Amino acid sequence: MSKPIVATTSLAGCFGCHMSILDIDERILDLIELVEFNKSPIDDIKEFTKMCDIGLIEGGCCNSENIHVLKDFRKNCKILVSLGECAIMGGLPALRNGIPIKECLEEAYLNGPSVRENKKRIIPNDDELPMLLDKVYPCHEIVKIDYYLPGCPPSAELIWNALVALVTGDEMKLPYEVVKFD
Amino acid sequence: MATNVQNIIEKYNKDKTRLMDILIDVQSEYGYIPKEAIGQIANNLDISHVDVEQTLSFYHFFSEKPTGKYAIYLNDSVVANMMGRQKVKETFEKEAGIKFGEVSPDGQIGLFDTACIGMNDQEPAALINGRVFTNLTPFRVKEIIRDIKGGTVVEDMFTAAYGDGENRNELIKSTVQNNIRKKGPILDDDYTPGIVIWKKLPEMTPEQVIDEVKKSHIRGRGGAGFPTGLKWEFCRKTKGDKKYIFCNADEGEPGTFKDRVILTERPKLLFEGMVIAGYAVGATEGIVYVRHEYTYLKNYLENLLQGARDRNLLGKDIGGIKGFDFDIRIQFGAGAYVCGEESALIESAEGKRGEPRDRPPFPVEKGYLDKPTVVNNVETLCSVVKILLNGPEWYLKFGTKDSAGSKLLSISGDCKYPGVYEVEWGFAVTDILEMVGTDIEDVQAVQVGGPSGSLIGKDEFARTLCFSDLATGGSLIIIGKQRDILNDIVLNFTDFFIDESCGSCSTCRNITHLMKVKLEKILDARGVENDINDLVEWGKILKVSRCGLGQTAGNPILTSIKNFRYLYEEKIQKDKEYDSGFDLAESVKDSCEAVGRIPNLN
């Protein structure tokens, strides 16, 4: 039987969830025995080359590129997992959600205390840049998400257990201590 | 003003742990807490402004803006709405000429919504400057506003006869009704205050008291059901130079009002229970934490405490027992459901935000002011008196095998006889429906244990109330077949949890809100099957919250999906698997406009 194929991505996240994946330490060797990686920052494969079984999504959606990538994941993965706080609820980036996007941009490029050289008062608007969304969206508001792994980041243990459960088809154990708030 | 505020601060000896009391007094004096007062309090208590502000901002009944000379808080609970709140609300707005959430331009009237005020058996009800007005009708509201405009003081605004029993007491004088429909061992009239302190305690060691309580198998009546004797034993065994007994009279669970009736009719029984607990664990101070909504009982309760001191039932060498000193004070809350959680209650009594603590350590090890503390429910403490008086064997005769004793139920909603019923554990829901004068055919559902409990349907009416089946803190709301469960009940309860979350855990702060958005999507006919599944899954995440509020905040939605899934399914789009309503064009519109570019949507 061929190995299950895993893809991962970080949208509007901090890569902390990916760091947490790496925190499974030497078990990463077991993991590559169990699964094959496709599109992912871990192996630096940039585009999907085949249909994947599991997609792990870190981060929510803050711009049009995130939307594009997430929809691409939905198309190319049988199972999508929201990994961590930002994917599930928008997380820290969603702190901007209470502020109109115009004010955010002006603060960042025109009026903020850290703005030094912007004499022409330009807000970047090149067509190559992704378009910012009016707010940061959790992934499940863009595409169907199959599973949610809570945490900021989810602990390595939790990610490991989830992947093993998905690969083996066993029910995952989520003891209170693992996911407890603090 | 400075002098007045200073007097209040001095009254509490500039003690920062009494910040709640100071703020309550300032709020009651001015109708709000002025900015200058915050500075003055902070300076005198030697704490920062932010310390004062964070406590102040946490509680519903504290305000930094004037709330009007007559601050009207109209209950917005499910049962108030069932009993005709909407018309009452409209009349208030029309007569006062303002909307809810506003204060009239002349500063006379403020209209505010508030969560259940413990009057579910006499709704719609409102608090006006801390006084309770029950059974409101549009006509009565017109009278009230007329009186307010005429300058009548709130105390003179009652036209109806005072309520029954002690509600007529000179120190209460309220129109609140007890509505006691059934009495058992706790509400029994045959009780001589102080009898256990005089006759039993002097002949018993603290260990013997704990032993009797353990033998009775009594479990906490607040809902969690922890064995009382065990709790006392833990606290007794913990070393500490000072120990405390807390009575949790915060009863904030919508639909619960039995503690209000005990505080009105059997307060001496409660105080005696606290003295017994104090003797058993070696505590010297007791604090009754009473919810803000019951401030109208303040003078009455404090007068009784003074009476007990005069009779040596409180104070030094109580009951003639050399060296047994114990006194009780009343601590009022200021409107926060989460303070019913024992560690939040302790935080609040220390003058802080009512945020639950991380546990362990449990209060029996590190509680009030970090000293060993027992927190018991009103009903538990009352039961203990009767257990010591009549013996554990007597107590075990009531109830079922795993649930000894009786339970006070607060029953309200669509029934003929709402009120307080003291029943033995083991009653079936059907028995109760019959008792309250409701035809089972007219009942669609029963909310057992308030919003944090479960909504059950006909299939489960045969279940019995006891710890191993339907455990409950005692609230039952009967929901008639004419009600729209999702709109009238589930949505209201979900809003309640969103309002009452302390905000500490992101799960409870956010998921409750996200669940509401999803529920509204379904109610709006935009939902799909997966939305229902999502709600169930997200509800599970709430279980990681620190306290019971967060852990149960999904229950209105979760238990209604479990028992009334068809109500959700009727409303969803059948032909779609996924529909989030997300629109890329719409969501990039603002940012593209702000930077001056044409959206590229390909």
Side-chain angles (χ1 to χ4, degrees), chain A residues 67 89 101 123 125-127 129 131-134 137 140-144 148 176 179-182, chain B residues 358 504-506 510 530 538 543-546 551 577-578 580 582 587-588 590-592 595 597 600:
Chain A
I67 303 284
M89 297 203 255
I101 188 69
I123 300 177
N125 63 354
D126 194 282
D127 268 350
L129 292 171
M131 297 170 288
L132 284 182
L133 307 181
D134 55 346
Y137 290 81
H140 63 263
E141 287 188 16
I142 308 302
V143 299
K144 184 187 167 212
Y148 301 83
Y176 180 73
V179 293
K180 179 170 171 281
F181 182 72
D182 50 9
Chain B
D358 199 15
S504 186
C505 305
S506 59
N510 294 328
N530 260 324
W538 298 357
K543 296 278 178 254
V544 311
S545 307
R546 192 190 286 171
Q551 288 165 6
E577 201 206 345
Y578 179 84
S580 73
F582 176 76
S587 68
V588 299
D590 289 352
S591 75
C592 286
V595 302
R597 68 187 266 198
N600 169 15

Side-chain angles (χ1 to χ4, degrees), chain A residues 6-179:
Chain A
V6 177
T8 77
T9 188
S10 178
L11 306 174
C14 69
F15 265 93
C17 296
H18 275 78
M19 291 299 140
S20 205
I21 296 176
L22 298 181
D23 257 352
I24 60 177
D25 298 331
E26 76 282 1
R27 277 175 295 178
I28 196 137
L29 297 174
D30 298 332
L31 188 62
I32 47 178
E33 289 299 317
L34 279 172
V35 302
E36 171 190 335
F37 276 93
N38 199 271
K39 178 178 160 73
S40 167
I42 292 174
D43 54 16
D44 211 24
I45 297 179
K46 306 267 197 255
E47 295 296 335
F48 283 103
T49 57
K50 51 177 132 173
M51 189 68 191
C52 298
D53 296 289
I54 302 164
L56 300 177
I57 314 289
E58 169 187 346
C61 293
C62 73
N63 63 30
S64 54
E65 198 230 353
N66 295 155
I67 303 284
H68 173 79
V69 173
L70 183 56
K71 286 188 169 167
D72 204 27
F73 263 73
R74 182 69 276 178
K75 224 176 283 166
N76 289 287
C77 301
K78 291 179 197 152
I79 293 168
L80 276 194
V81 182
S82 269
L83 183 64
E85 166 72 15
C86 300
I88 297 176
M89 297 203 255
L92 214 57
L95 280 178
R96 79 159 159 96
N97 285 6
I99 306 165
I101 188 69
K102 191 163 185 273
E103 282 179 36
C104 289
L105 287 163
E106 286 171 352
E107 180 73 7
Y109 293 104
L110 305 180
N111 308 327
S114 60
V115 179
R116 294 272 163 83
E117 293 287 324
N118 189 1
K119 286 193 181 113
K120 290 184 182 165
R121 295 181 68 76
I122 290 169
I123 300 177
N125 63 354
D126 194 282
D127 268 350
E128 288 299 309
L129 292 171
M131 297 170 288
L132 284 182
L133 307 181
D134 55 346
K135 58 176 187 173
V136 177
Y137 290 81
C139 294
H140 63 263
E141 287 188 16
I142 308 302
V143 299
K144 184 187 167 212
I145 297 290
D146 301 292
Y147 297 101
Y148 301 83
L149 276 184
C152 181
S155 69
E157 204 59 31
L158 189 68
I159 297 172
W160 171 257
N161 288 344
L163 283 174
V164 170
L166 278 172
V167 170
T168 58
D170 294 336
E171 192 174 336
M172 184 182 167
K173 289 189 193 74
L174 270 172
Y176 180 73
E177 297 73 36
V178 175
V179 293

